[in-house]
Amino acid sequence: MSSHAIEISLLGRTYSIACPPGQERALQHVAQKLEVQLSSLKTRTNNLSREEIAIMAALNIGYELLEEQQKNQDYNKQMDEKIGLLQATLENALVERSTKED
């Protein structure tokens, strides 16, 4: 599958980014969210260079990703525990049923 370039704008600059077919909307959505974060950082920290703003945005996004990954791991752990409990309950019920039938 070949990719083609789409244009996105960040802090007043336009970039041509390679994008797989069918992923244009997703890339544009991410670019819009990034633009909001970059603009917010630029407004709050007027004395930073574009590079420093980009680094801060990358760190913020990385932190958000880390938080979401942790939430996902916690959720998976909870589900594993609930599945284990359900399996044990079902096994106990089957054992009780088989002993009553004997």
Side-chain angles (χ1 to χ4, degrees):
M1 218 183 261
S2 65
S3 58
H4 64 284
I6 67 167
E7 290 187 353
I8 61 169
S9 180
L10 300 170
L11 293 179
R13 288 192 182 171
T14 301
Y15 300 90
S16 184
I17 307 292
C19 181
Q23 297 299 313
E24 298 87 357
R25 275 191 173 165
L27 179 57
Q28 288 171 339
H29 180 73
V30 169
Q32 288 170 349
K33 291 185 75 156
L34 180 57
E35 173 65 14
V36 168
Q37 192 165 78
L38 290 170
S39 296
S40 174
L41 285 168
K42 184 178 180 182
T43 301
R44 288 184 288 160
T45 56
N46 211 11
N47 57 342
L48 295 182
S49 70
R50 284 178 182 273
E51 181 180 272
E52 291 168 323
I53 291 170
I55 290 169
M56 287 184 67
L59 289 170
N60 287 341
I61 291 166
Y63 179 74
E64 290 171 5
L65 176 61
L66 185 65
E67 281 185 317
E68 290 302 316
Q69 288 173 334
Q70 184 62 51
K71 286 179 190 175
N72 193 21
Q73 287 176 353
D74 292 345
Y75 176 79
N76 286 339
K77 184 178 176 185
Q78 288 175 351
M79 288 301 107
D80 287 344
E81 289 170 0
K82 288 180 180 182
I83 289 169
L85 180 60
L86 181 59
Q87 286 175 330
T89 302
L90 288 171
E91 288 172 6
N92 289 339
L94 289 172
V95 167
E96 285 180 24
R97 182 177 174 198
S98 68
T99 57
K100 287 181 182 178
E101 290 176 359
D102 290 338

